[in-house]
Amino acid sequence: MIKKEIEGAALLSIYNELKDEIKAIRTDIQNLNIQQPQQSENNQELNSLLKETIVNAVNDTINAHINSRENYADEVSRR
């Protein structure tokens, strides 16, 4: 009889621990579902900034190359 009571108490303890774990997992999933759209929005912002940075870098490089050529042409025409 005592053995069954101990087993019953152990099972109840395990059940309660599992119930708490399941509750924690559900909370984590809900938090992830809330965070996911925010992360997606942040990723879109970062992608836009990255594209803008790349475009600016390419434009700066092209302009520097054009200026270099113009300066070279001016120098040649002065000679």
Side-chain angles (χ1 to χ4, degrees):
M1 189 69 139
I2 294 174
K3 184 178 177 184
K4 288 194 181 218
E5 288 176 7
I6 293 172
E7 287 175 354
L11 287 174
L12 183 61
S13 176
I14 292 169
Y15 169 80
N16 286 330
E17 284 181 34
L18 288 174
K19 190 169 74 172
D20 291 342
E21 285 294 320
I22 290 169
K23 185 177 179 181
I25 291 169
R26 282 186 179 148
T27 302
D28 289 346
I29 289 170
Q30 288 171 346
N31 289 337
L32 286 173
N33 287 337
I34 290 169
Q35 291 173 0
Q36 191 173 6
Q38 293 170 345
Q39 288 176 342
S40 178
E41 190 175 309
N42 290 343
N43 287 345
Q44 287 175 350
E45 266 185 59
L46 290 173
N47 283 338
S48 293
L49 288 172
L50 180 60
K51 286 176 188 174
E52 184 179 337
T53 302
I54 291 169
V55 167
N56 289 339
V58 169
N59 285 336
D60 290 347
T61 302
I62 291 170
N63 289 333
H65 185 70
I66 290 170
N67 289 338
S68 173
R69 290 289 181 176
E70 287 174 351
N71 290 340
Y72 178 75
D74 287 345
E75 189 111 0
V76 169
S77 67
R78 287 188 202 140
R79 291 182 192 169

